Amino acid sequence: MIFKYRLTIGFLFVCLFVVAQSSKMSKAEENFDEFAYADAIEDYEALINEYYTDVEVYRKLGDANYFNSDYETAAKWYRGLYMTANKKLDPEYLYRYAQSLKSLGRYDESNRILLQMKDTALRDIRLEKYLEKPDYLKEIENVSNRYEIYNVDFNSEVSDFAPAFYMDKIIFSSARKVKKRKTKIHGWNKMPFLNLYATKFDTINKKSSPIEYINDLSSLTHESSATFSKDGKSVFFTRNNFKDGNFVRDTLGVSRLKIFKAELVAGTWQNIQELPFNSDQYSIAHPSLNQDGTRLYFASDMPGTYGNSDIFYVDIYQDKTYGKPINLGIEVNTEGRETFPFISPSNILYFASDGHPGLGGLDIFAASSRAGEKTKVLNIGNPVNSVADDFAFIFNETNVRGYFASNRLGGQGGDDIYYFEETIPLDFSCKERVFKGIIKNPKGRAIPNVNVKLYDTDYQLIDKVRTNDSGEYIFSINCTLEVLMIEGEKEEFKKLSLEFSNDAITEMNNLDFVLDPEDTENTSGEDLGVLLGIEKIKFKKGKSTLPNTAGTILGKLVTHLSENPTLKVEIKQHTDSRGDNFINVMLSRRRAKSIKAYLIYKGISEKRLTVKGIGENQLINNCSDDVECSKIQHEENNRTEFITIK
């Protein structure tokens, strides 16, 4: 009886616990579906604390933090989703997980997750753009450091963003509280609704004038992202779908964003009208007007969008009517977020994206379209871009100054506005360079399936390909990359490396070379270093320049070779295991070439001398990678051999 009583009580406890969890789950789902992400996060985390580890909870926690730009926390929950789902996620969640890792600076890990999309997606523009430029970090580095940036003094402790030029002022969006007005809080992030403000900014002293609240463009909902006509008499801005004092919602209960236009009449903004291509069923936001007022760019998730939001434009006709929205296509848009467009006077389109390869979060990109050419998109580099969200870029091309917004660390609030001065212009004239050729054997026959690699000046791999059945290979690389060496390798053939000066090349269309069959008997002779008692040449760490003592040390070898004019020698250079294996191979090769150059200078025929860089691949003790050894033990492996060739 007692046993049955306890069992019943235990059963009731479990039932009540399950009912309670079910109630919490329903509340969390409701908040999430209503885009009240701040509340949803609290609800889902409460379930996690009660050991409720359902896949859907991890998914929603990741999304809620991702959409609130808390990528560190999003990465944590996406990892939980990844592991709970046995590392099998659909492409969108693999991408969001990869993006979250990237925002933490974990690029290698991010790239590994991203590459898993190859096994799941039939086609993904974001993956294709990464595969086109796997060395994107190097490319970004090469275009970086072109700006000096400053955090402006008109930022607040809350979100400030979306700057716009207007006459001698800066118009911007802010979630700061409006004095003498009831503050409404938005459930998405627990922040006040946005309003438009104005200030003058002294770019010399980096100081702003008192901030003005633009009351005549204000409503009881969000206002942000304004753009103005050249004469300053028209403004386009973003506002929630709002009518007769109430939110207008779509079939999912969402109040979409719309673009409105107002006109300046007698010093105030009047005649506020929504644009005719707005919709209650999708959002249109963040307008940017071109220089002559004939085209309006904006972001939208309307039908025909590739991803979460795309960049579109409409033509504005002389009678003030509008054309149909035009999607800018996959050169600009991806399955991710493309947003906050800005069109400069010279028709360079700047926009924010998390779909193009970047440093993390939203990065700012520039796109240029020239007649007859494919649209070119460039990441504008750091310090404007960072691992955080960077967006809402505007630029005065005359004085090369502008503003952008970012939620990076070190700011005053959630999003801050930054002022910048461009010191080096962005170069769109740079085109991809082509390196191609044919690899043959000594009899002139093409060699298929040769591994061909291209390296930059830091000996980092740029790209690798295989020759086809005709022995042909081809590389197309970004013009910002400096190329040092091309290398061909195949089993049963000698490896061949060609170095060249990057300054002397733009492209090479006939970069042919010959691979010789491997000769297994060419180094079976004696080591003259041992035979003649030649002392070790002590190179400085990481250097290939011969030390001053080399002349004396090599004197015995010069004499012996002079006395034996038919003798040929292979100079084999070795290093210890410290550092990268490939770099050690290249270092040993340069050292061997330095010795060869000295012997030629001393009158030894170049035809009698060959070099081989072994690096750390033939150690004479156990001091390999991850083995603790003394400096003396490592130095035993730094040596030169002078092998007679039969």
Side-chain angles (χ1 to χ4, degrees), residues 344-531:
S344 76
S346 66
N347 287 320
I348 301 297
L349 174 68
Y350 295 90
F351 65 98
S353 171
D354 63 3
H356 292 264
L359 297 176
L362 291 168
D363 271 21
I364 297 166
F365 295 82
S368 175
S369 297
R370 300 181 180 181
E373 292 187 5
K374 176 180 172 182
T375 299
K376 189 168 189 177
V377 176
L378 297 177
N379 187 304
I380 67 172
N382 64 53
V384 169
N385 285 328
S386 68
V387 297
D389 281 336
D390 309 293
F391 58 102
F393 181 96
I394 63 173
F395 184 41
N396 184 324
E397 292 177 328
T398 302
N399 62 18
V400 292
R401 296 171 178 173
Y403 301 83
F404 70 98
S406 177
N407 65 350
R408 66 189 62 191
L409 293 176
Q412 298 181 45
D415 298 312
D416 273 14
I417 294 172
Y418 291 80
Y419 165 76
F420 71 83
E421 297 175 359
E422 185 183 66
T423 57
I424 302 173
L426 196 62
D427 183 11
F428 279 99
S429 63
C430 174
K431 296 183 178 180
E432 284 193 340
R433 287 178 296 161
V434 175
F435 296 81
K436 62 182 180 180
I438 300 174
I439 300 180
K440 304 176 182 178
N441 65 21
K443 294 182 179 181
R445 295 180 180 176
I447 309 176
N449 298 317
V450 177
N451 293 311
V452 189
K453 300 178 181 179
L454 203 62
Y455 294 92
D456 66 12
T457 51
D458 294 323
Y459 295 100
Q460 296 297 311
L461 181 67
I462 295 174
D463 198 4
K464 59 182 179 180
V465 297
R466 281 178 177 262
T467 56
N468 61 19
D469 291 341
S470 300
E472 298 169 332
Y473 68 91
I474 183 169
F475 293 102
S476 295
I477 68 165
N478 186 275
C479 63
T480 61
L481 295 174
E482 297 182 359
V483 180
L484 173 70
M485 183 179 73
I486 191 167
E487 181 181 85
E489 184 178 18
K490 185 178 181 180
E491 189 176 353
E492 298 181 356
F493 287 86
K494 295 179 182 178
K495 181 189 294 186
L496 181 66
S497 300
L498 297 179
E499 296 184 16
F500 33 77
S501 169
N502 189 68
D503 297 335
I505 56 171
T506 54
E507 63 179 35
M508 303 186 77
N509 294 322
N510 296 294
L511 197 56
D512 303 342
F513 54 93
V514 174
L515 287 187
D516 292 319
E518 188 71 59
D519 184 356
T520 58
E521 295 184 354
N522 66 344
T523 59
S524 60
E526 297 175 299
D527 182 356
L528 290 180
V530 176
L531 183 66

Side-chain angles (χ1 to χ4, degrees), residues 303-321:
T305 302
Y306 293 98
N308 295 311
S309 62
D310 283 5
I311 307 297
F312 292 77
Y313 73 84
V314 293
D315 290 318
I316 304 175
Y317 303 125
Q318 289 186 350
D319 61 359
K320 296 185 179 180
T321 60

Side-chain angles (χ1 to χ4, degrees), residues 537-557:
I537 300 173
K538 297 181 180 179
F539 291 90
K540 289 185 177 180
K541 184 178 180 180
K543 303 296 183 182
S544 59
T545 304
L546 286 175
N548 295 332
T549 57
T552 302
I553 294 171
L554 293 172
K556 292 180 182 180
L557 180 62

Side-chain angles (χ1 to χ4, degrees), residues 104-115:
L104 302 178
R106 292 156 61 178
Y107 294 108
D108 289 342
E109 189 176 353
S110 171
N111 293 339
R112 286 196 298 271
I113 296 295
L114 187 66
L115 285 172

